[in-house]
Amino acid sequence: MSLSLALADAPASEKPRSAPSEVELRNEFVKIRVSDAGVWSLSFTDGTGAVLENVRFRLEAGEAEGNVGDYIVRLSKEHRTDDLGEFERAVMHWDGRGVRPDIDYSVSLNTRAPELIVELDYLNRTGEEKRITAVWPMSTDRDDGGLTLPGSPQDWVGVKTEGYYGPHQIVRGISSLENIPSHFVARNAVAERSFLLGFLSHRKGVGSVSLARGEDSRIGLGARVLYAEPSIPVPPGRDIKGEKLLMVFGKNGLENLERLGDLIGLEHGINLREEKSLDERSRFFHTWKNEWASYIMLGRITGPDGGPTNPAEHEALSALGLDKYGYTSPPAGFRRQPLRVGAAPCLARMQGLKDFWAPLSEARRKELRQAHPDWFIQIDPKDAPYLLDFPNPEALGIVPQQELYVFDFSHPEVIEFERERAESAAKRYDIFKYTADFIHRWQYFPQQHDPFQTVPEMLRNAIGVWRDQGAKAWGLAYINRFYLSYGLWDTVRVGMDSDGGYLEPHSGSFLGQCVPMASQRYFFNGRVWWNNPSSYHVYVQGRYSPGEAKVHATFCAFAANILTLGEPLTKEELPPDRLDIIKKISPAGMDVSRPLDYFDRSHPAVWHMPIERPFGSWDLLALFAYWHDKDKSFSIDLAELGLPDAKEYLVYEFWQDSFLGSKKGRLDVDLNGPDCAVYSIVEKKLQPQLVSTNRHVRHMANDILDLAWESASNVLRGKSKVIEGEYYELRIHVPEGFQPQDVLLSEDYTVSRELSGSILRVQFTPAETGEVHWRIGFLRSDHSPS
């Protein structure tokens, strides 16, 4: 039954008189009032009239648990500082007095931002087992409470997430939506207001949010944490620590999503840039050749063991010179698949589903099963739809009538066995990967060793021991439920396999799934994990046109940071223009982008990437015309990139190698699809400036290591990362009053230069891969601006 608790129904004599009846939390943005009746409300101080009223919590219990009068409530206020920030916190302790479970319910307001965190802890102090299905840390009724938003409800636009691999779903006008996995975000561009409701953790329960539209502008809100259906037992003396529910308000919605990503990272102790840097040591994890994708798209699989494992594919990388761009065979001390974590429900099948629990042999599996029968759960195949709903389960070794056995990761001995495997890998290899697929198919089993443990807990038991091995262990997740992956993986597939071509409307195509999925989850990238958008293609024996090749590759290089080349190199001769695309996008680097039109279309087409370096900053803008034979006109307000209207900016497009001149306030562009354009946008100054290079689609972000203007000597100097035998070009804007003079390099390379209009091109071909220092002198006229 669903049990709603409110102390207002309890006898007044039951309330502790020493506790306050109400506390107030306040910062410069909002004010929150919390009463000892278990109800709280929020109002804004900005005069917009936005309010959140009569918020309560609810329990979904497996059995009736008595009268609400059995509870005593103690209300207190405290100051708390932790990794997530500085908060004023109201805490309600609901004391069940040994008759019913205790409940700790808290509301924490950030002292410096319009955001709050809600938590609900369930503590069994009754001396007997209780059962629980779910808790609602936030529940409002649209008739007597809920969220009242500024502006017209029809002006609000939301984006609905999917827990597995659903599309980028735009919801125009706030409507009734149920069981949205993890989070929901909405924006009103007219009122310049936004809000997000979502969970920072899913450690024991799986969080979802719901909205119920009222007749006026009021919206009922709900946030639910599901443990298991029909319920899980809670033994006496055991506690359920609540998941953290975030509510954050803003102006454009993107900052809400990025704040969610930042806080998830902090909550789970994630520091990708320091601990899992996308550098030379780890390049096989972020830039590699995917044999499967290329051959699947061709409709055939070759090679031993049913997979395209031909070593000639790796040899072809070197023959084409792609190893110099990051596409290489594994480095010394690395094993491509030393050990692999499988991802059946609890964690792996004993019958040997391919790639699950390799390299455990069948003999070893049977030996473990005989020696430790309590480590396994026997399940009937008909009770395992997660295994049987494959299009062809027999191809995976799954026979609907056969018995299935899964490892029980609620058993401490199984966890310890897996920990020993992980520690063995850490001792053997300098760097290794652990991977899992079909994570969305994990399931709770009532007959497991510890039925109090839930699916998220068992997943963390299994994967966490690998994560604990530190910087040398790289976790790669494929098909997954993203909210169960926080803090477990370093790279996560954020879309379906992109093996079905460019346009096809099914789940495996670039436009059918890759673009909307990667766009929806953009804010995880670089904050929670590195986004993997699946393989990109540029030719595939002529199946891709030049425009399709450029769009698909550029999107993967700009909207994400993991590059997987899906080309059958031994089965085709790549045209020079496609080979050039492969080189120009790799490696992606660690800068991240955001889709400015996230709330406007299912396939966001306007992506902004700010670049910050110790020697300066600039901006990149990528525009995409995805569809065939459709003109796409863009009119970009540079203020949306955070660039002041009063300043002028130098704009250079990468693929067309074109200088657009000086722009102020707005950039207008026409594209005919399929096509894309990537612009560097550099604030205009009075001296010569580097505005682009020919090395990488992320203008200057990957190859320029240092840059400075020496005003005393009129010299522009810098340091570039260059590639052996690959022509390199610096593109420099020369303002009126300057004339280029000598060019000096730290290496003895032949240099050429060409001044066309206001753009100076400095060109050389390095004999070795490495770093080159360069200095370009200028003669300054007496009439040039100071």
Side-chain angles (χ1 to χ4, degrees):
M1 63 174 291
S2 177
L3 185 63
S4 179
L5 302 178
L7 194 64
D9 297 331
S13 60
E14 301 284 5
K15 303 178 185 179
R17 301 185 182 280
S18 60
S21 60
E22 183 177 273
V23 299
E24 180 178 285
L25 311 175
R26 176 192 289 267
N27 62 21
E28 63 176 298
F29 306 100
V30 299
K31 177 175 64 176
I32 299 176
R33 293 185 179 276
V34 183
S35 78
D36 64 357
V39 181
W40 59 274
S41 298
L42 175 150
S43 60
F44 280 81
T45 60
D46 59 4
T48 61
V51 294
L52 176 63
E53 300 176 285
N54 296 329
V55 184
R56 298 174 172 85
F57 69 85
R58 289 197 293 131
L59 307 180
E60 289 181 40
E63 57 191 35
E65 295 183 343
N67 188 277
V68 293
D70 294 330
Y71 277 98
I72 295 177
V73 174
R74 298 180 180 87
L75 177 63
S76 61
K77 179 180 176 180
E78 62 187 31
H79 185 90
R80 185 188 73 181
T81 301
D82 58 22
D83 291 339
L84 304 187
E86 184 178 355
F87 297 88
E88 293 293 332
R89 187 182 190 212
V91 181
M92 288 169 276
H93 177 70
W94 292 62
D95 186 350
R97 298 188 293 182
V99 178
R100 301 177 63 187
D102 295 354
I103 297 166
D104 283 340
Y105 184 51
S106 65
V107 181
S108 301
L109 176 64
N110 191 307
T111 59
R112 296 181 175 87
E115 67 183 38
L116 56 141
I117 294 174
V118 182
E119 299 171 78
L120 192 158
D121 300 340
Y122 181 100
L123 309 90
N124 187 0
R125 303 290 183 266
T126 65
E128 60 184 34
E129 181 180 280
K130 295 293 183 179
R131 301 197 70 87
I132 189 77
T133 299
V135 299
W136 293 71
M138 178 179 287
S139 178
T140 68
D141 191 315
R142 61 188 175 189
D143 296 326
D144 69 349
L147 178 64
T148 301
L149 296 169
S152 169
Q154 298 305 316
D155 292 333
W156 283 85
V157 177
V159 174
K160 179 177 178 292
T161 65
E162 292 289 345
Y164 175 37
Y165 281 151
H168 184 83
Q169 298 184 44
I170 294 177
V171 181
R172 301 192 184 279
I174 299 296
S175 58
S176 295
L177 301 168
E178 294 185 355
N179 299 322
I180 307 168
S182 181
H183 67 273
F184 178 79
V185 62
R187 180 190 71 171
N188 186 325
V190 177
E192 295 186 338
R193 290 292 183 272
S194 62
F195 79 93
L196 178 144
L197 183 65
F199 286 90
L200 302 181
S201 63
H202 304 265
R203 288 189 172 96
K204 187 173 184 71
V206 175
S208 62
V209 299
S210 299
L211 294 84
R213 172 75 180 273
E215 293 184 358
D216 52 15
S217 59
R218 182 177 292 171
I219 301 167
L221 294 180
R224 181 179 186 243
V225 178
L226 173 66
Y227 300 116
E229 291 179 333
S231 63
I232 61 169
V234 184
R238 301 293 292 271
D239 301 338
I240 297 178
K241 177 64 178 174
E243 312 298 343
K244 293 184 178 179
L245 174 67
L246 171 72
M247 191 168 196
V248 57
F249 299 90
K251 292 186 176 181
N252 66 24
L254 298 181
E255 79 266 42
N256 299 149
L257 288 164
E258 290 156 16
R259 181 60 174 164
L260 175 66
D262 288 337
L263 290 177
I264 290 172
L266 291 170
E267 172 67 15
H268 294 274
I270 299 168
N271 188 346
L272 291 175
R273 283 169 171 77
E274 290 187 9
E275 298 175 2
K276 297 300 170 74
S277 174
L278 302 182
D279 54 20
E280 181 69 16
R281 179 174 181 267
S282 63
R283 60 179 174 169
F284 184 69
F285 304 128
H286 57 82
T287 310
W288 73 88
K289 168 75 171 63
N290 185 346
E291 297 94 339
W292 277 101
S294 57
Y295 284 94
I296 289 173
M297 190 169 174
L298 292 174
R300 63 177 181 271
I301 300 296
T302 63
D305 302 323
T309 56
N310 188 349
E313 288 288 335
H314 295 288
E315 295 174 5
L317 289 176
S318 298
L320 293 171
L322 297 180
D323 54 335
K324 295 182 291 187
Y325 292 82
Y327 305 94
T328 119
S329 299
F334 169 80
R335 296 297 180 269
R336 187 175 181 190
Q337 296 176 6
L339 296 172
R340 171 172 285 199
V341 175
C346 274
L347 175 69
R349 295 182 57 243
M350 287 304 294
Q351 302 302 322
L353 186 60
K354 181 176 176 57
D355 285 335
F356 281 15
W357 266 69
L360 288 182
S361 65
E362 184 68 21
R364 176 58 172 150
R365 296 168 188 167
K366 290 181 178 179
E367 178 186 334
L368 287 172
R369 182 179 161 194
Q370 291 172 357
H372 306 282
D374 59 328
W375 285 15
F376 303 95
I377 301 171
Q378 181 178 349
I379 58 176
D380 191 308
K382 70 175 185 296
D383 296 327
Y386 50 85
L387 291 176
L388 299 181
D389 65 359
F390 285 98
N392 183 15
E394 289 80 7
L396 298 174
I398 302 169
V399 180
Q401 289 76 34
Q402 82 179 155
E403 294 179 340
L404 299 178
Y405 295 86
V406 295
F407 279 85
D408 183 353
F409 268 93
S410 73
H411 198 304
E413 293 179 7
V414 175
I415 301 169
E416 185 58 30
F417 173 76
E418 186 70 350
R419 183 183 303 280
E420 291 174 359
R421 295 212 311 141
E423 291 174 350
S424 174
K427 291 176 181 178
R428 292 177 63 191
Y429 306 115
D430 295 331
I431 186 169
F432 65 94
K433 76 173 181 179
Y434 58 95
T435 68
D437 211 344
F438 306 111
I439 305 169
H440 66 300
R441 300 177 186 275
W442 280 57
Q443 183 172 324
Y444 175 84
F445 295 101
Q447 69 268 37
Q448 63 196 35
H449 176 81
D450 183 0
F452 179 56
Q453 291 206 23
T454 61
V455 167
E457 284 181 299
M458 290 184 289
L459 180 63
R460 291 186 174 277
N461 291 343
I463 307 301
V465 296
W466 294 83
R467 181 75 170 187
D468 291 345
Q469 305 311 308
K472 63 167 53 181
W474 274 72
L476 284 69
Y478 295 97
I479 297 178
N480 69 95
R481 296 192 183 277
F482 68 86
Y483 47 79
L484 296 182
S485 296
Y486 300 161
L488 295 179
W489 307 101
D490 303 301
T491 72
V492 169
R493 173 75 61 78
V494 291
M496 293 289 287
D497 294 346
S498 185
D499 310 323
Y502 184 85
L503 276 175
E504 288 76 2
H506 56 72
S507 62
S509 70
F510 170 64
L511 290 183
Q513 292 287 338
C514 179
V515 172
M517 289 177 181
S519 300
Q520 185 183 94
R521 295 163 173 78
Y522 87 92
F523 59 93
F524 291 126
N525 192 32
R527 297 178 172 88
V528 184
W529 51 66
W530 299 111
N531 278 0
N532 174 7
S534 189
S535 302
Y536 76 91
H537 308 284
V538 296
Y539 189 59
V540 200
Q541 295 184 356
R543 286 164 172 79
Y544 262 51
S545 71
E548 291 171 341
K550 186 167 71 169
V551 170
H552 194 162
T554 302
F555 179 86
C556 291
F558 205 89
N561 291 64
I562 303 299
L563 292 176
T564 309
L565 173 61
E567 286 295 322
L569 298 180
T570 60
K571 303 294 183 181
E572 65 184 11
E573 183 174 345
L574 280 173
D577 64 318
R578 315 306 171 84
L579 186 60
D580 189 58
I581 290 173
I582 295 172
K583 294 177 178 180
K584 297 299 188 187
I585 70 167
S586 174
M590 293 195 292
D591 302 289
V592 298
S593 61
R594 64 187 334 204
L596 299 183
D597 51 346
Y598 186 87
F599 294 91
D600 300 328
R601 50 182 62 91
S602 62
H603 292 64
V606 182
W607 290 76
H608 172 222
M609 181 184 293
I611 306 296
E612 298 284 344
R613 296 291 184 269
F615 51 81
S617 62
W618 61 99
D619 292 86
L620 306 183
L621 177 69
L623 305 178
F624 294 92
Y626 298 110
W627 311 102
H628 279 256
D629 301 321
K630 289 186 178 180
D631 292 329
K632 180 70 177 176
S633 296
F634 298 89
S635 185
I636 307 301
D637 184 353
L638 297 182
E640 293 187 46
L641 281 63
L643 304 178
D645 290 338
K647 294 184 178 181
E648 290 187 61
Y649 299 90
L650 304 172
V651 180
Y652 204 103
E653 203 286 313
F654 183 81
W655 290 117
Q656 296 297 323
D657 186 11
S658 173
F659 180 55
L660 278 67
S662 177
K663 301 293 180 181
K664 185 176 181 179
R666 187 167 294 277
L667 177 64
D668 296 315
V669 175
D670 293 323
L671 295 175
N672 183 262
D675 198 4
C676 64
V678 182
Y679 302 92
S680 70
I681 304 176
V682 181
E683 181 181 339
K684 185 178 181 179
K685 297 182 180 179
L686 299 177
Q687 71 267 7
Q689 296 171 263
L690 183 68
V691 293
S692 183
T693 70
N694 71 328
R695 165 62 189 94
H696 198 283
V697 70
R698 296 186 175 193
H699 299 256
M700 305 178 289
N702 285 34
D703 55 312
I704 297 299
L705 306 178
D706 192 21
L707 185 65
W709 170 254
E710 298 178 354
S711 57
S713 56
N714 292 324
V715 167
L716 181 66
R717 64 171 174 83
K719 180 169 64 172
S720 296
K721 184 164 55 176
V722 297
I723 296 175
E724 173 192 353
E726 296 294 337
Y727 159 82
Y728 185 73
E729 180 177 275
L730 301 165
R731 297 154 179 174
I732 299 161
H733 177 256
V734 182
E736 184 178 353
F738 288 87
Q739 290 293 326
Q741 300 295 300
D742 294 336
V743 177
L744 299 177
L745 302 182
S746 59
E747 307 294 332
D748 187 19
Y749 300 147
T750 300
V751 181
S752 64
R753 68 179 193 184
E754 176 187 351
L755 181 63
S756 177
S758 60
I759 295 297
L760 172 67
R761 300 174 185 272
V762 175
Q763 305 148 341
F764 60 91
T765 300
E768 296 180 353
T769 296
E771 299 174 359
V772 173
H773 295 259
W774 46 266
R775 295 174 63 86
I776 305 170
F778 291 86
L779 180 63
R780 184 172 184 171
S781 71
D782 294 337
H783 304 291
S784 62
S786 300

